[in-house]
Amino acid sequence: MEPTLTVHDLTRRFGRRTALEGVSLAFGRGVTGLLGPNGAGKTTLIRVLATTLAPDAGRVAAFGLDPADREQRLAIRRRLGYLPQSPGAYPHFTAFELVEYVAILKEIDDRRARHDEVRRVLAEVDLGDRAHTKVRRLSGGMRQRLALAQALLGDPDLLILDEPTVGLDPEQRMRFRALLSRLGASRTVLLSTHQTEDVTTLCERVVVMRTGGVVFEGTPGELAAQAAGQVWLTTTPPEGTFWRTPDGRYRTLGHRPPAAVPGEPGVEDGYLLLLGGEQVAA
Amino acid sequence: MTLTVFELRRMLRNPLIWAAAVLAIALEGVRAAQWWPDLTVVTLRAVTASTLVAGAVLVAANLAAGRDRRFPETLAALPGRAPSRTRAVLLAAPVVGALAAAVVIVPLVLYGHLRGPAAGSLDVWEALNGVALAALAATVGAALARWTPWPFTPLLVIFAFLALIFVNGLGEYGGWALPWIPLHDPTLGPRPSALHLLYLLLLAVAIGAVALLRHGLRLVPAAVAAVATAIAVPAIAQADYLPKPPPVACRQLDGLSFCPRAGYEPWVGRWAAALRPITSAVPPEALADMPALRQDTFGGLPQVWLTGVTEMSVAGRVATGVAGLEGGPACGKAQTVVALWLTGLVSGLEESAPADWTRPPDPIEKGPGWHEYPLTDSGRSSVSPGRLPGVVYDGADLVNARALLADPGAAVKVRANWAVLTDPATTTEQAAPLLGIAPIGGAKACGEAE
Ligand SMILES: Nc1ncnc2c1ncn2[C@@H]1O[C@H](COP(=O)(O)OP(=O)(O)OP(=O)(O)O)[C@@H](O)[C@H]1O
Ligand SMILES: [Mg+2]
């Protein structure tokens, strides 16, 4: 299958700081998770893909279109839903008005169709009953959902979400996962997150970035497998870094502590070992 | 287009704009009730009141055009682009601003008109200046949002504008290039209101184009801004007051001759009515020598009419004239008491010095009919217009006139002894038996101790 989105040898600098260097990736239908520590370049990559930031070097193509060209960029934007990391909002709009404003800028010109669509996306994020509340009166998590709602407008073929689950309560996070799992069946969804659980529960693919480069690309299972044979459970606190498990035992990564039994590796284990393996396992 | 409608609907529901409109109507409506309706003045005042709306529209347009700074990243990825957002605000905000200004101006002018008889003339171009001003303010607000990132610049601009038009009310600095000149000196002739309206509209177009230029140096907005400026600047540079209309004929009423300025004929009847207590109290021959009351000279008939205050000043002029006073010190003269009594018939004598005030502080003459009193013992400075223009009198004369005013038979006595009473040689003491009062003060120079 032809990938929806490809980047080749992408580089982007901010002054002397390199945010992206030689990144080449391809994204097809399904949900891809983007992991990486703070400052890894996730947002920078996402902004380039969402056509809001031009790369210094490299090629980008979405739906076979080049965002460097004005007309083609417009064509990409017509099929794109984007949730930025800091979406912001206009505090004096109601939730409905904010989404409607974006809908107008998404060229949904027919009034009735637009209003129906606004109501639909508000319902998707469970804000149907808050439609006429002013944005400044919404809670942080509700604002995040509102920002997500505008990204869903027009049922875009490509959905790019930068840390969409930040601030969501567990129930809303479940709801979000269900929504994205449904959308991912027929669309291309790219999301960045710091929640490895998001990746485990809804991503088919995962990309791990570090200091502007890609350090892993594969399925969540493959990422978890990075930690195979390095997850240990003990009944007494081991030396070094450890954390507690729900059943009262201690979990640690890396070298086997005395009297430890092997544990089941997860995405988080793989991720941690991949990035900070040396420190974590020290 | 859809975006313009969206902005239009939002702006129409903007509470700031409508609160400003209600406030402007209320403030100016209450004030207007105290003045005789003069459509020339009413229109100017209504437009001045509507500047409140213009200020609100400036802020509202600024917020609307600057709104996308609140969520730039979200908007950047949408097909609808920034110039179209600016254009929508530039189309919607002036329309709503103009509407709100009209909502202020039309009822105020109508109110003046309906309270009639209204003098002056309704200059529709002048009224439209207020509408154009609000539209201009909208484009200024939008342009500021596009060109300056600071949220307080609109307030600075509004402040500068207020300073320009209210501190510099006759356009002493800037002249017709100012967006609005709130005051008007009718002796200079009609204002070039149509030209000024054209100027405001061209300015609005130019500033709107400048706002759009923020999105890139494009030919169309650049050309529009250049052409609009090129027409507006020379046009306003040569703007001047229009030729004065020819004077209208004087009219005789109640024995007086009234000479209104063109457009003020409807007020002749009201002037005469205000003066009737005097004209009916004095013998007809006393009125025969009165010079015509002209509106276009200083010290003649007033240009505007504030109920309660203006009656007193006109009554003072007529009373001084019929009593034969010629200005200068006139303390202790029967003439002075009669003249004060006549003004008292029109507006009472209560507000003057207290009854036991026999030795007033020496007044400092500030101009015809204006005396400023120095600080009194209580530390208060009282500044009051003398009742009789150019005539210096003191508290004793007031007390005597008040005694006369208290006598219901005074009119008969005054009329019967008119020639003696108005003789400059007759003192109050000499006239006391004729008037039936017990005078205080005696014959003395003004302000002299007893
Ligand atoms: N607008 C900018 N100006 C200057 N430097 C920037 C800018 N945006 C990002 N950077 C730098 O680029 C690097 C990558 O930043 P980026 O925001 O892409 O990281 P991230 O992976 O999204 O991090 P986080 O998990 O904290 O969101 C960082 O070093 C950051 O300081
Ligand atoms: Mg980020």
Side-chain angles (χ1 to χ4, degrees):
Chain A
M1 193 189 69
E2 183 77 357
T4 320
L5 200 55
T6 57
V7 295
H8 183 75
D9 212 7
L10 210 57
T11 298
R12 172 72 212 213
R13 288 184 196 85
F14 293 104
R16 251 179 286 144
R17 171 163 283 130
T18 303
L20 286 179
E21 180 139 49
V23 172
S24 298
L25 286 167
F27 305 92
R29 188 190 301 161
V31 182
T32 304
L34 200 52
L35 286 175
N38 294 142
K42 301 182 296 295
T43 296
T44 307
L45 174 63
I46 278 179
R47 293 182 65 202
V48 170
L49 296 176
T51 75
T52 64
L53 188 71
D56 293 328
R59 282 197 313 275
V60 184
F63 312 110
L65 299 165
D66 179 5
D69 175 83
R70 205 169 147 253
E71 286 305 315
Q72 297 186 41
R73 184 165 64 233
L74 206 59
I76 296 172
R77 288 178 179 177
R78 293 201 167 102
R79 300 173 65 180
L80 167 72
Y82 172 41
L83 168 68
Q85 180 166 8
S86 315
Y90 191 60
H92 303 294
F93 274 151
T94 63
F96 190 94
E97 284 170 329
L98 185 84
V99 179
E100 187 185 10
Y101 186 60
V102 174
I104 291 170
L105 293 169
K106 272 198 174 174
E107 302 173 335
I108 310 179
D109 285 339
D110 179 70
R111 195 171 138 82
R112 166 157 315 176
R114 184 173 66 239
H115 283 192
D116 288 347
E117 178 64 4
V118 171
R119 274 190 284 272
R120 181 187 73 82
V121 296
L122 285 176
E124 289 278 29
V125 299
D126 200 19
L127 280 179
D129 57 341
R130 291 306 197 109
H132 299 291
T133 304
K134 286 247 158 67
V135 170
R136 64 166 186 271
R137 300 223 165 83
L138 293 176
S139 75
M142 289 177 190
R143 278 180 222 186
Q144 180 71 8
R145 276 146 62 196
L146 188 62
L148 177 64
Q150 62 78 24
L152 301 176
L153 280 168
D155 204 5
D157 299 320
L158 173 62
L159 207 49
I160 299 182
L161 312 172
D162 201 349
E163 301 196 22
T165 53
V166 162
L168 299 191
D169 64 37
E171 188 194 330
Q172 292 299 335
R173 206 152 48 224
M174 287 300 297
R175 207 185 157 92
F176 170 77
R177 285 177 190 151
L179 171 68
L180 278 217
S181 302
R182 199 178 79 225
L183 293 175
S186 54
R187 272 157 283 253
T188 303
V189 180
L190 172 64
L191 63 88
S192 81
T193 182
H194 288 295
Q195 305 270 322
T196 48
E197 219 185 311
D198 289 340
V199 174
T200 316
T201 50
L202 65 89
C203 295
E204 280 116 75
R205 273 183 74 227
V206 53
V207 171
V208 180
M209 293 184 69
R210 182 162 129 188
T211 54
V214 174
V215 292
F216 176 88
E217 207 190 333
T219 65
E222 285 163 357
L223 181 54
Q226 302 274 316
Q230 299 193 66
V231 181
W232 306 103
L233 296 169
T234 57
T235 48
T236 54
E239 277 187 18
T241 313
F242 62 88
W243 54 100
R244 307 199 55 143
T245 64
D247 61 4
R249 288 189 289 176
Y250 301 91
R251 190 180 167 93
T252 184
L253 294 178
H255 304 298
R256 177 181 186 163
V261 296
E264 187 65 33
V267 166
E268 182 147 282
D269 304 317
Y271 172 73
L272 287 173
L273 282 168
L274 190 68
L275 290 175
E278 306 80 38
Q279 300 101 288
V280 174
Chain B
M1 190 58 214
T2 316
L3 194 56
T4 306
V5 174
F6 179 86
E7 296 290 4
L8 204 58
R9 298 168 70 95
R10 258 198 81 72
M11 203 67 85
L12 277 173
R13 285 186 279 122
N14 190 307
L16 184 66
I17 294 175
W18 298 110
V22 169
L23 190 66
I25 292 175
L27 289 179
E28 180 55 25
V30 166
R31 203 209 60 98
Q34 301 172 306
W35 298 80
W36 285 7
D38 173 341
L39 291 181
T40 304
V41 176
V42 163
T43 312
L44 291 179
R45 300 279 323 190
V47 172
T48 303
S50 80
T51 58
L52 209 58
V53 169
V57 169
L58 193 152
V59 171
N62 187 262
L63 289 174
R67 187 194 298 139
D68 47 13
R69 277 202 298 269
R70 304 292 192 103
F71 44 142
E73 184 69 8
T74 305
L75 297 183
L78 299 173
R81 291 176 34 247
S84 64
R85 295 197 292 271
T86 307
R87 209 173 305 124
V89 174
L90 282 174
L91 290 173
V95 169
V96 176
L99 180 73
V103 163
V104 170
I105 294 167
V106 170
L108 286 174
V109 171
L110 268 183
Y111 176 53
H113 196 68
L114 294 176
R115 276 193 310 136
S121 54
L122 172 58
D123 181 349
V124 175
W125 300 125
E126 197 80 86
L128 286 174
N129 264 265
V131 173
L133 193 63
L136 170 63
T139 61
V140 170
L144 286 176
R146 280 309 185 207
W147 283 96
T148 71
W150 310 290
F152 53 81
T153 37
L155 298 180
L156 282 183
V157 168
I158 290 173
F159 184 77
F161 170 76
L162 290 180
L164 265 183
I165 70 168
F166 288 110
V167 177
N168 178 25
L170 279 164
E172 295 90 334
Y173 308 98
W176 296 110
L178 293 178
W180 179 237
I181 298 179
L183 300 182
H184 176 49
D185 179 353
T187 60
L188 299 176
R191 295 151 58 105
S193 50
L195 187 61
H196 196 257
L197 172 65
L198 176 74
Y199 166 70
L200 290 181
L201 292 175
L202 286 170
L203 213 56
V205 169
I207 290 176
V210 166
L212 284 172
L213 282 175
R214 181 73 173 124
H215 303 295
L217 193 60
R218 296 263 147 67
L219 184 64
V220 174
V224 167
V227 170
T229 311
I231 302 174
V233 169
I236 208 62
Q238 52 94 54
D240 202 356
Y241 288 97
L242 307 181
K244 275 197 275 187
V248 294
C250 299
R251 213 177 119 199
Q252 301 292 322
L253 207 61
D254 292 345
L256 288 172
S257 179
F258 294 97
C259 307
R261 239 179 31 241
Y264 287 77
E265 302 89 332
W267 274 3
V268 169
R270 305 188 70 157
W271 282 323
L275 291 170
R276 199 148 296 141
I278 297 179
T279 51
S280 58
V282 303
E285 63 274 17
L287 294 171
D289 297 337
M290 270 299 289
L293 291 164
R294 297 187 180 280
Q295 195 187 10
D296 53 2
T297 53
F298 187 76
L301 289 168
Q303 312 289 355
V304 292
W305 199 287
L306 175 59
T307 305
V309 172
T310 320
E311 278 93 340
M312 188 158 95
S313 91
V314 176
R317 278 169 212 148
V318 175
T320 308
V322 295
L325 283 165
E326 289 189 325
C331 298
K333 290 186 178 189
Q335 262 181 319
T336 310
V337 174
V338 169
L340 287 172
W341 169 73
L342 286 171
T343 66
L345 293 176
V346 172
S347 53
L349 287 168
E350 292 83 8
E351 84 302 335
S352 304
D356 56 357
W357 183 41
T358 53
R359 170 68 175 86
D362 293 332
I364 304 155
E365 193 164 352
K366 289 279 169 175
W370 278 90
H371 303 276
E372 186 168 313
Y373 291 90
L375 284 180
T376 59
D377 291 345
S378 63
R380 278 184 304 162
S381 155
S382 64
V383 180
S384 67
R387 289 184 157 254
L388 309 174
V391 176
V392 182
Y393 56 91
D394 68 12
D397 300 306
L398 269 174
V399 171
N400 294 333
R402 199 174 294 137
L404 193 56
L405 194 61
D407 176 4
V412 177
K413 294 172 193 165
V414 169
R415 211 188 309 229
N417 301 292
W418 184 258
V420 180
L421 292 175
T422 56
D423 181 340
T426 311
T427 64
T428 309
E429 267 186 340
Q430 290 163 348
L434 304 176
L435 294 173
I437 58 170
I440 62 165
K444 55 170 178 53
C446 286
E448 210 175 64
E450 300 288 311

